[in-house]
Every structure is written in C-alpha cells, then in structure tokens.
Amino acid sequence: MIRFSTILTSTACSALLLLCSCQPPTPTSTPATPEAIRQHIESFKGLQLVHVWATWCVPCRDEFPELMNVMKNFQTLDVLLISADDPSEKEAVDLFLAEYASPVGSLIATELSQKFIETLSPQWAGSLPATFIYQDGILIKEWEGKRSFEQYAKILTPLLNK
C-alpha cells in the first residue's frame, strides 16, 4: 500500500530533479598553453575582451564583480578569462567562478613566462589584473590594474557601437 504522502514526496522529488537538470552548467576552467590562447584569440572574429586574473590576486578579486557587471550589461561582448593560477589549482578557480556566478569559464595558463606575456602583448609587464581588447584577433587596447564598471563602459561603449 502506497500512502499519499509517499506519492507527494516522490512527485516533488521528480519535479526538483527536473528543475535541477534544466540549470545551465556551471562554467569551469581549462588549462591552456600560450599557443592555444594565441590561436583562440586570433581565430575570433569581432570584439573580444581578454582578462587575466588570479584567485590569489587581491585587486583581481576586488575587480571581479565589476567584470561580472560588464558581462551582464554588454552581452554581445565576447569575454575570455585567463587565470594565472597554477593549473593544479583548477578546483579553486572553479569555486571562484561559481562564487561570482560567472557566465563564462576560464582558461588557466599552463605557463606564466615571457612567452605567455608576449602572447597577449609585448608591452604587458605581467601585472595583474590585466585586460586586453582585440578586434578580429588584433590588439587595439590594453591596461593593467583594476577598473570600475564605469571605466569599462566608457571604453567599451564606443567600440561596440562601431
């Protein structure tokens, strides 16, 4: 004999399972070599913001909510995150992305070398956070240090309205 409460509980559980299966997957991180990063940037057509950050970098952590706001308000902008964390810290990177509800995953640079730096820009000193804007794979703007949403918006709005 099945009791009504058992049926209700079973139905409620089925509904919850169905809801959970419809959730978008949580973005994760993927290790990437400087060559893979370069190929990704060069193959992209359109405006792309590339942001280098790390979970251990205090200015990066302070800026991340601003960057999430940029992604929310400029949804046509392609954003490529690159973590400077050690690839062995993939779990910490994934937890960080989940904590901030990042709509995109992050690459994790497999090496933090001069080769990696020059992959993004020969003028980059290697400081974090660092942001690079590419148009059709060509670097058009870059800066080091954290920025506010307003500062991002001032730079991105004219570029996206071209």
Side-chain angles (χ1 to χ4, degrees), residues 18-92:
L18 182 60
L19 283 173
C20 290
S21 66
C22 294
Q23 297 291 328
T26 302
T28 60
S29 57
T30 305
T33 64
E35 293 83 13
I37 292 167
R38 181 187 48 76
Q39 288 173 355
H40 182 84
I41 292 168
E42 287 178 353
S43 68
F44 187 80
K45 298 300 177 207
L47 194 68
Q48 183 178 50
L49 184 145
V50 177
H51 185 76
V52 186
W53 64 285
T55 59
W56 46 261
C57 165
V58 174
C60 300
R61 295 180 73 85
D62 292 344
E63 182 186 39
F64 218 77
E66 303 292 325
L67 195 58
M68 294 301 101
N69 199 14
V70 167
M71 286 189 251
K72 179 182 172 188
N73 286 280
F74 296 94
Q75 293 182 5
T76 61
L77 177 67
D78 184 77
V79 176
L80 175 63
L81 299 176
I82 303 174
S83 170
D85 288 278
D86 188 276
S88 67
E89 296 296 320
K90 179 185 179 343
E91 186 176 329

Side-chain angles (χ1 to χ4, degrees), residues 141 145 151:
K141 188 144 186 77
Q151 290 170 313

